Amino acid sequence: MASLALRGVRKEYGKLVALAGLDLEVGDGEFFVLLGPSGAGKTTTLKCVAGLEAPTRGRVEIGGRDVTDAEPNTRHVAMAFENYALYPQQTVYDNIAFPLRSPRYRVAPETAQVRIERVTETLGIGHLLRRMPRELSGGQRQRVALARVLVRPADVLLLDEPLSHLDAKLRAAMRAELKSLGDLQSTTSLYVTHDYQEALALGDRIAVLRAGELVQVGTREEIWHRPADAFVARSFGQPGINMVPGEVVDTPVGRGFRSRDGAIALPLGAVPVPPGTAVEAGLRPRDLVLGERPGMLAVTGRVYVVEPLGRQLEVTIDVGAQRIALVTPRERVEPDSLVTLSVPPARLILFDGTTGVRIPVGGGAPEAVVAADAVTEVAGRV
Amino acid sequence: MSERNGRSGARDLALDGLQKVFRRRGQGEVAAVAGIDLDVAEGELLGLLGPSGCGKSTTLRMIAGLEAPSGGDIRIGGASIVGRPPHRRDVAVAFENYALYPPLTVAENIAFGMRARKEPDAAARAREVAERLGIVDLLGRKPGALSSGQKQRVSLARAIVRRPSVLLLDEPLSHLDAAERDQTRRELKRLQRETGYTTVLVTHDQHEALSLADRVAVMDAGRLLQVGTPDEVYDAPANRFVADFVGEPRMNLLAGRILPGTPTGVFLSDQVHLLLPGLAGLPEHGAGGERAVIVGIRPQDIRLGPAADPGALPATVFAHEPLQEVGRLTLTLPGVATRIVVETHHDLVAARDEAVGLRFDPARTHLFDAETGERLAWSPNRPQNPSPSAPSRPLSRATSSS
Amino acid sequence: MAVQQESQPIAAERTSTPGIAVRPEAAVAAERSGSRWGEMALNGLTILYFLFALFPLVWMLLLSLKPQEQLFTTYFRFSPTLAAYREVLGTGGGGSDFLRFFLNSLIVAVGAVLISLLVGVPAAYAFARWKFLGGESLLFTLLSFRFAPELMVIIPLLVIYRRIGLFDTHLGLIWVYQLITLPLIVWILRSYFQDLTPELEQSALLDGYNRVQAFVKVAVPLIRPGLAAAGLLAFIFAWNSFVFPFALTGSNAQTVTVGSLSFLGGATPRYNLTAAAALIALVPPLLLALSIQRFLVRGLTFGAVKG
C-alpha cells in the first residue's frame, strides 16, 4: 500500500490534449473516484499511473517514489479494464492465477490456490473456476476481472469503469458489493466512472474531470452541496438540477435572486457580487416541494408533464419561461393545472452566469427564510 | 383536439392472438410472439416493456407490416390490416436509429414520404409539424449536423407528418444522454397528449415506460405478463418477473416458507419470521400444509429503526451508499442468503456491520408462488390510515426460535 | 388468417415511405418463402463450378494412369496402370532423382516458412502495435516484393549467387524464398494482432510480465489460427515456386516443380510421368491443409477480410 500522486501530468496525442496538467494526491488506503463524461481524460489518467501511457510532461509518484519512467510491471499496480481483458483461451482459474505465475509475483502453486479460493469465495464465483470466459455472463466476467486484480499484492488498484457493461440492476448490486469489499476499501484505489451514483456511493473523495482538466476534488457532501461550478452541479443528480438564469438584485433585506422573466425571486443574504450580475440559480428537484410550506418561498406555475416514478412522481412545471422539475410523493397532479411549489432558499446554489463558477451565498439561511416574502414583494415591483 | 380531426373513423389498435413463429435450423420452431391480445384505445399511449428478446420489437414490426404474423389479427378501427403492405397501413414508425436520409435536409427528410406520393402541400405540412416539435430552425440542416435529441425529434416529425392512425415508437430515447433524455421524454409525453395519436412505445427501460405510458404492457418470452396503468403495475405486479423488472432499485425478492403451525407469517429463514396479519386468509393456502413462497418488498417500503425494537426484523448493515438524493442500505438478515436493499432518507448514516431493525408494511408486502411465480392474493389487515410517510405499527417480529 | 400472409410484405419494397425505412428486411422476409428454389439453383451452380474447376485435376489423374502407348490415342477409355508412378518414384528398378527433388522441396519450403515465422511474427506484432518512423513505408516495401516479377531480379541474383557460393544450395533457396513468404506472413498476421485488443497485453504487463513475456504468453497464443493460415499459405507459395529454383539451382538443390518438368525434356515428352510427379507433389500441401483445417477456415477468411 502506498499513496499516489500526479504532479502536473500532461498528455498530448499529437495536437489533441488529453490531460492538461493534472495535480492529484490520493492518500494511503483512500478510495478515490474520477468522474467525468467520455473524453474527459479519465482512462488516460489511469493509463499514465499504470505506465501504459507515458505522460508528455509531469510526474507520477507511488509511495513517494517517482515511477514516471518505470515499466508497468515494476510499478506494483493492478488494473481492472473496462472490457475486462480476460484471456479467452484460459479458464477462469488460469486467468486469476495468471499474475501469480508471473516472474514478479510468482508464488508456489499451493499458495496461489489458497489465495484464489479465498478471493473467488468472497466474490461468489468459486463454482466457475473451470469455465472459459466465453461461457460466463457479463456480471460473472466482471467478477473474474476483479478477482484477478484482488488476488495479487498491489500498492495501487486502478479500476476503469468496472460496472459500465452491466445492466442497471446488476450494477446497483455490484456497487454495494464493491463498497463492502474490505480489500478494495483498504487499498489505495483510483476508480474511474461516468456514473454519478457510483461516484457518490463509493468514493472517499471524488474528482470531477472535464476535457482533461480537474474541475473539483472533494468529498461527496462537498461536491453535492458546494459544486465548484455549474458543470459539476449538472453532473450529479437524476433528474438533473434545475438551472434558472437571472440576476442578482438589491432588496430591502439584502441581496436577492430574480429570474430573467421575474417569475422566480429568492433571497440570497450576503453575496460577493454586485447587483446586476448575471447568475444562474441551481435548484435540485428533490429539494423542491409541491404546495406551500412555512419558511419556504412559494411560486406558482402550470404543470407541463406528470411522470409516475414508482412511489414518487416527477412533475415538470412551467414557472414563467422556466421549466422546473421536482420529485414529490405520489399524489393527484393534473397536467395544465396551476400549482404552487415551494423553494427552500437555503438549498439554492448560485453560479456566475458567464463563467459558471459557484458564488458562495452568505450564511444566514434562517434569516433568508424569514426574508423570503419581503423579497417576493420587492421583486414583484422591480 | 388533434390534427387528425379531418379524418373519420376510430383509431384504436387491437391485437388479437397475435403470433410470430420463426423456424430456425436445428432449433425447430421458436415462438418470438406467442399469441398476445392487446387493445390500445384511441389516443392512448401504451408502453410495451420487456427485456431484449422478449418479442416486443417483433410485435412492433408486425404492426408496422415489416414482419408477417404467423397467426392472429391486427386491427385498426376495427378493420384488419394484416396483409396490407406497410405504406398502406396508416401506421408510422419512429425508429431507434432515427433512419434519416443523410444527404437530405431536415425539411426534405420530413417531407420525403409525401413527395414520393406527390402530395401537394408537402412543404407546408413539414413546416407545420416542425413548428409543433420546435425544430423549425433545423429545417435547413443535414442530419449529420444534428444532436441525438434533435435527430430524434426529426424522426418523430417524419413519422407524424403523415398523420397516421397509429404511431409506433421504437426505443425513442435510447441514444440520448441523461440530460437530453429527461427533456425529450417530457416533450414527447406532452406532444403525444396534445396530438392524441394512438401510440405504442417499445422500450426495455422501465423508467421510460412508467413515465410515458398511460398503460404499460410487460412482456417476457413472447407472452404478455401484465397490462395496467403504471401505478397498477408498480403497486400490484402480477408475478415475480414483473415485480423484479419494474421499479428502481429493484424489489427485494426473498424465498420463504409458510409452515402449517404458524400460518400467520412467512419464515424467511429459521431465525427470521415475517408476521403478515391476514395471511391466514390466503385463499390458495389450501389444506394448510407447508408452502414455498417468494416475499417481495420494495426498498422504499421498508422502515428502518433501532436494533432493539422488538417489533422489527433484526438486520446487519452490509453496505451503505450515501447517494445524496437518497441513501441506500444493503443489509443481511440472519440465515437469509439474499441481501435486502432499503432506501433511506439522504442524511442517514450507517456503518458496516451495524445492527438495525426493519419494519415491513404488510399492505405493501407482495407474495408470489415460488413455483409458478404468480402473485398470491391476500388481504392484509390494513393499518387504519395507510399514509405513505408515517411509519406503520409494529407488524413484523423477529423470533429467535427455530 | 395466418396462412395467407406469407408473401404480403413484398409490395413494401418499391415504395418510399419515410416512416418505414427498414424495407430491406421486409424484402428478406419475402424472399424466405421462395428460398427453396433459390437454394436449389445455387447448389446447381456450385456443382457446375466444381466440375469446371476440378476438371484439370481429373484430367491429370487420368493422364498419370495411362500407359505410354495410349497417351495420345484415348480420352477416357484405356487400360489403367501405375507404371508412371513406379517410374517416377524409381521403384521399378530404373532409379530416379524425383525423391531427392521432393526432399529438397520439403527442406527448402519448411525452412523458408520457419525462418519467415521467426522474423515475421514479431515484425507483424510491431507493425500492429507501434507507430514508428518509416513503419508504414517499410510495410509497403515488404508488400512490393510481391508486385515485382521474379524474372526481373533473377539475372542479377543468379550472378550474385554464383559469386558468393549460394547457387544450387538449400540455404540460397530458403533465403530467396523470404521474398515470397515473409510479406505474406507479416501482412496476414499484422491484421490478426490488430484485431486483438491491446488491453490483453497491457493487463499482462500489470500482472508482472515484461513486454516480451506478454507477447509470447498472451498475444501469440491468441493468433494461433492466423499462424496456421499464414504458415500454410506461405508453405504453398514456397512449395510451388518455379522461377527461383529453375534459375538458382543445378542438380543438387533442384525442387519438384523444376524436377517434374524434366520428364518433358526428352525425345518423347512423357506427359504421364509429369502428371504423376505433379500429383505426388500435390500431396504435402494437401495433407498439411487437411491437418490444420480446423484453424484454416476461420483463419483464411479472417485474414482475408482485413489483410
Side-chain angles (χ1 to χ4, degrees):
Chain A
M1 272 206 270
S3 62
L4 165 72
L6 281 79
R7 308 217 185 272
V9 170
R10 185 179 174 86
K11 178 67 187 174
E12 296 166 11
Y13 296 99
K15 278 182 186 154
L16 183 89
V17 179
L19 286 180
L22 211 62
D23 285 297
L24 211 62
E25 290 202 37
V26 182
D28 194 355
E30 188 177 18
F31 197 101
F32 194 92
V33 174
L34 283 179
L35 177 94
S38 58
K42 306 177 302 259
T43 300
T44 309
T45 309
L46 279 199
K47 290 195 165 174
C48 284
V49 174
L52 301 172
E53 298 278 3
T56 313
R57 261 210 309 278
R59 273 180 305 145
V60 177
E61 292 169 14
I62 294 174
R65 185 170 69 101
D66 186 345
V67 294
T68 314
D69 299 317
E71 278 286 303
N73 58 342
T74 66
R75 292 189 181 200
H76 229 59
V77 159
M79 178 160 170
F81 291 84
E82 184 184 355
N83 59 9
Y84 311 142
L86 300 182
Y87 309 116
Q89 81 282 26
Q90 296 182 7
T91 63
V92 166
Y93 186 92
D94 290 339
N95 260 287
I96 301 172
F98 196 69
L100 301 179
R101 292 169 183 163
S102 74
R104 186 156 289 270
Y105 304 112
R106 180 170 291 144
V107 295
E110 304 78 49
T111 319
Q113 193 179 346
V114 171
R115 274 206 230 161
I116 291 168
E117 277 168 7
R118 190 182 68 83
V119 167
T120 51
E121 189 69 27
T122 316
L123 289 169
I125 48 169
H127 58 295
L128 302 174
L129 294 177
R130 298 263 69 88
R131 302 246 190 109
M132 301 303 275
R134 64 172 173 276
E135 298 165 338
L136 305 181
S137 71
Q140 291 169 335
R141 282 180 205 178
Q142 197 274 326
R143 281 158 204 257
V144 175
L146 207 57
R148 194 174 61 187
V149 165
L150 295 178
V151 78
R152 43 157 296 195
D155 286 339
V156 176
L157 298 182
L158 305 174
L159 304 152
D160 188 5
E161 306 238 16
L163 307 184
S164 64
H165 292 300
L166 307 181
D167 71 55
K169 290 177 172 178
L170 194 54
R171 196 154 62 221
M174 268 315 287
R175 211 172 59 204
E177 287 202 35
L178 289 186
K179 178 87 189 177
S180 76
L181 215 56
D183 290 351
L184 212 54
Q185 292 300 319
S186 60
T187 310
T188 310
S189 307
L190 200 53
Y191 183 103
V192 158
T193 182
H194 67 272
D195 179 335
Y196 80 93
Q197 288 201 327
E198 273 172 40
L200 292 174
L202 297 170
D204 292 328
R205 279 191 304 153
I206 301 165
V208 182
L209 273 176
R210 174 183 50 193
E213 288 188 65
L214 214 50
V215 189
Q216 185 173 10
V217 181
T219 64
R220 55 175 75 86
E221 288 81 12
E222 283 165 7
I223 297 256
W224 182 258
H225 295 293
R226 295 189 294 284
D229 66 8
F231 173 80
V232 176
R234 281 202 188 91
S235 304
F236 290 81
Q238 170 61 41
I241 189 168
N242 297 295
M243 287 292 193
V244 185
E247 60 174 354
V248 172
V249 290
D250 248 332
T251 75
V253 292
R255 297 275 154 79
F257 166 82
R258 185 175 167 278
S259 68
R260 205 173 279 161
D261 58 358
I264 301 173
L266 296 167
L268 294 175
V271 280
V273 290
T277 310
V279 291
E280 271 191 312
L283 295 167
R284 298 216 184 259
R286 273 165 228 264
D287 290 338
L288 305 177
V289 184
L290 208 55
E292 283 188 56
R293 287 285 186 286
M296 292 196 196
L297 195 103
V299 289
T300 312
R302 188 178 292 278
V303 174
Y304 177 67
V305 157
V306 182
E307 299 171 276
L309 202 72
R311 277 279 163 267
Q312 294 169 314
L313 287 181
E314 202 176 305
V315 185
T316 318
I317 301 166
D318 284 338
V319 182
Q322 196 59 41
R323 196 157 283 166
I324 305 263
L326 62 82
V327 175
T328 177
R330 204 194 280 174
E331 61 181 293
R332 191 110 200 111
V333 184
E334 289 297 333
D336 287 322
S337 60
L338 284 176
V339 293
T340 306
L341 67 131
S342 296
V343 182
R347 293 306 193 116
L348 176 141
I349 311 173
L350 202 65
F351 303 97
D352 187 288
T354 41
T355 63
V357 173
R358 186 175 64 89
I359 301 168
V361 177
E367 301 141 53
V369 172
V370 177
D373 290 74
V375 178
T376 334
E377 280 176 32
V378 173
R381 267 184 266 128
V382 170
Chain B
M1 88 194 254
S2 81
E3 298 161 356
R4 294 199 69 264
N5 280 344
R7 276 188 171 179
S8 60
R11 294 171 290 145
D12 65 307
L13 170 74
L15 309 182
D16 190 358
L18 192 64
Q19 271 185 36
K20 179 67 189 183
V21 178
F22 289 110
R23 289 172 193 84
R24 299 223 169 86
R25 256 178 220 165
Q27 291 177 22
E29 297 192 339
V30 182
V33 177
I36 62 173
D37 300 304
L38 197 59
D39 290 302
V40 188
E42 178 168 342
E44 183 183 29
L45 196 162
L46 182 104
L48 200 51
L49 172 69
S52 62
C54 74
K56 58 188 191 301
S57 295
T58 308
T59 305
L60 176 128
R61 295 172 58 76
M62 284 193 283
I63 301 171
L66 302 170
E67 202 89 64
S70 314
D73 199 7
I74 305 169
R75 288 186 299 270
I76 292 178
S80 175
I81 57 163
V82 166
R84 283 196 215 159
H87 67 289
R88 289 184 42 225
R89 287 190 171 206
D90 209 10
V91 168
V93 191
F95 284 99
E96 179 181 355
N97 56 8
Y98 315 128
L100 303 178
Y101 306 116
L104 305 184
T105 64
V106 167
E108 287 164 341
N109 260 293
I110 296 174
F112 191 82
M114 290 184 296
R115 289 252 166 78
R117 284 190 301 276
K118 305 224 161 42
E119 291 179 29
D121 56 343
R125 285 252 303 278
R127 193 170 174 85
E128 190 185 312
V129 172
E131 267 165 29
R132 149 125 255 131
L133 289 173
I135 51 171
V136 175
D137 46 337
L138 305 180
L139 284 174
R141 291 206 215 157
K142 298 273 176 72
L146 304 181
S147 73
S148 310
Q150 291 168 333
K151 280 185 201 164
Q152 204 278 332
R153 251 166 277 177
V154 175
S155 158
L156 194 63
R158 197 175 58 175
I160 63 174
V161 75
R162 300 167 47 213
R163 296 174 189 163
S165 288
V166 172
L167 178 62
L168 305 178
L169 305 175
D170 186 9
E171 305 268 6
L173 307 176
S174 60
H175 291 298
L176 309 183
D177 66 35
E180 263 184 334
R181 189 178 303 146
D182 279 348
Q183 193 198 346
T184 312
R185 195 186 59 234
R186 293 168 191 153
E187 282 171 8
L188 188 63
K189 177 154 185 171
R190 182 79 195 184
L191 184 86
Q192 195 273 337
R193 296 296 188 274
E194 283 172 5
T195 53
Y197 282 106
T198 307
T199 306
V200 177
L201 164 88
V202 162
T203 180
H204 69 278
D205 182 336
Q206 56 95 26
H207 178 200
E208 210 170 294
L210 292 184
S211 296
L212 282 168
D214 295 308
R215 283 190 306 150
V216 177
V218 186
M219 265 188 100
D220 183 45
R223 296 185 182 281
L224 265 188
L225 299 183
Q226 186 171 10
V227 184
T229 65
D231 286 353
E232 283 166 7
V233 170
Y234 186 88
D235 292 339
N239 55 46
R240 194 194 158 154
F241 180 88
V242 178
D244 192 37
F245 198 74
V246 175
E248 216 295 301
R250 77 202 301 181
M251 187 188 276
N252 294 294
L253 292 167
L254 306 164
R257 285 168 305 146
I258 302 173
L259 297 181
T262 43
T264 53
V266 181
F267 281 95
L268 298 175
S269 74
D270 288 346
Q271 295 127 59
V272 184
H273 185 216
L274 178 66
L275 272 182
L276 296 173
L279 185 63
L282 190 66
E284 296 94 335
H285 199 47
E290 178 175 337
R291 165 150 206 180
V293 294
I294 305 282
V295 177
I297 178 125
R298 296 203 183 274
Q300 296 90 339
D301 296 335
I302 304 173
R303 302 270 164 272
L304 215 59
D309 184 349
L313 292 186
T316 312
V317 174
F318 175 73
H320 172 229
E321 302 167 68
L323 299 174
Q324 305 306 310
E325 296 166 310
V326 291
R328 196 172 293 182
L329 276 180
T330 306
L331 305 133
T332 50
L333 295 172
V336 180
T338 314
R339 293 191 192 108
I340 192 162
V341 175
V342 177
E343 200 166 283
T344 69
H345 195 256
H346 63 84
D347 51 12
L348 176 125
V349 179
R352 171 134 210 222
D353 294 330
E354 196 178 323
V356 295
L358 304 181
R359 284 169 177 276
F360 289 52
D361 178 356
R364 289 191 173 153
T365 303
H366 313 268
L367 283 185
F368 305 99
D369 187 286
E371 262 169 54
T372 64
E374 290 306 307
R375 179 183 189 80
L376 298 176
W378 65 291
S379 46
N381 303 337
R382 285 172 178 280
Q384 290 308 306
N385 186 11
S387 145
S389 52
S392 42
R393 286 172 287 141
L395 291 162
S396 47
R397 190 181 69 208
T399 60
S400 50
S401 64
S402 61
Chain C
M1 229 167 283
V3 196
Q4 71 200 36
Q5 279 117 40
E6 287 297 336
S7 56
Q8 301 287 359
I10 295 174
E13 290 177 54
R14 314 246 178 276
T15 56
S16 30
T17 316
I20 295 171
V22 192
R23 248 162 280 120
E25 297 186 39
V28 170
E31 267 166 30
R32 236 174 259 148
S33 58
S35 65
R36 286 253 306 284
W37 287 107
E39 226 168 272
M40 279 171 70
L42 200 65
N43 282 341
L45 278 174
T46 314
I47 290 169
L48 273 178
Y49 173 75
F50 268 99
L51 286 179
F52 172 76
L54 284 177
F55 183 72
L57 206 64
V58 174
W59 192 246
M60 288 278 276
L61 186 68
L62 294 179
L63 207 56
S64 72
L65 293 175
K66 284 179 188 176
Q68 183 71 26
E69 54 279 12
Q70 288 180 332
L71 214 48
F72 303 106
T73 55
T74 58
Y75 289 108
F76 294 104
R77 298 178 58 191
F78 55 89
S79 28
T81 164
L82 290 175
Y85 289 91
R86 274 196 291 273
E87 195 174 337
V88 166
L89 296 173
T91 47
S96 159
D97 284 334
F98 184 79
L99 278 181
R100 204 161 49 76
F101 298 156
F102 192 88
L103 199 65
N104 284 341
S105 274
L106 220 52
I107 292 171
V108 172
V110 169
V113 170
L114 284 183
I115 288 179
S116 282
L117 284 176
L118 214 62
V119 180
V121 176
Y125 183 68
F127 281 126
R129 281 287 182 263
W130 285 284
K131 277 193 173 158
F132 46 89
L133 195 66
E136 286 298 313
S137 8
L138 200 61
L139 199 60
F140 189 76
T141 310
L142 210 55
L143 186 68
S144 68
F145 293 157
R146 299 293 302 134
F147 305 157
E150 289 160 353
L151 284 169
M152 215 171 73
V153 293
I154 205 73
I155 305 297
L157 260 182
L158 181 62
V159 176
I160 296 169
Y161 266 42
R162 278 194 186 282
R163 280 275 171 85
I164 61 175
L166 281 177
F167 179 76
D168 202 16
T169 62
H170 291 149
L171 184 65
L173 272 192
I174 289 175
W175 194 356
V176 75
Y177 275 6
Q178 297 307 314
L179 284 178
I180 305 168
T181 53
L182 195 57
L184 209 65
I185 281 173
V186 170
W187 273 82
I188 293 178
L189 293 185
R190 186 180 74 120
S191 77
Y192 274 85
F193 282 122
Q194 280 171 337
D195 285 345
L196 282 189
T197 149
E199 272 93 6
L200 289 173
E201 298 126 61
Q202 293 179 349
S203 177
L205 288 182
L206 294 169
D207 284 345
Y209 296 82
N210 64 32
R211 289 182 199 267
V212 176
Q213 290 160 337
F215 165 66
V216 173
K217 283 188 193 275
V218 175
V220 172
L222 285 173
I223 57 142
R224 241 183 266 153
L227 229 47
L232 178 75
L233 275 183
F235 178 83
I236 292 173
F237 276 93
W239 181 270
N240 290 342
S241 175
F242 179 77
V243 174
F244 286 133
F246 182 73
L248 299 180
T249 60
S251 62
N252 185 34
Q254 203 171 84
T255 62
V256 272
T257 41
V258 182
S260 305
L261 259 113
S262 63
F263 296 114
L264 301 180
T268 42
R270 308 285 304 275
Y271 288 113
N272 52 347
L273 297 190
T274 305
L279 283 173
I280 295 169
L282 197 65
V283 171
L286 202 65
L287 279 182
L288 202 60
L290 286 177
S291 65
I292 58 172
Q293 198 181 21
R294 192 161 59 94
F295 296 115
L296 207 59
V297 177
R298 199 173 93 83
L300 274 180
T301 51
F302 199 15
V305 173
K306 286 206 71 183

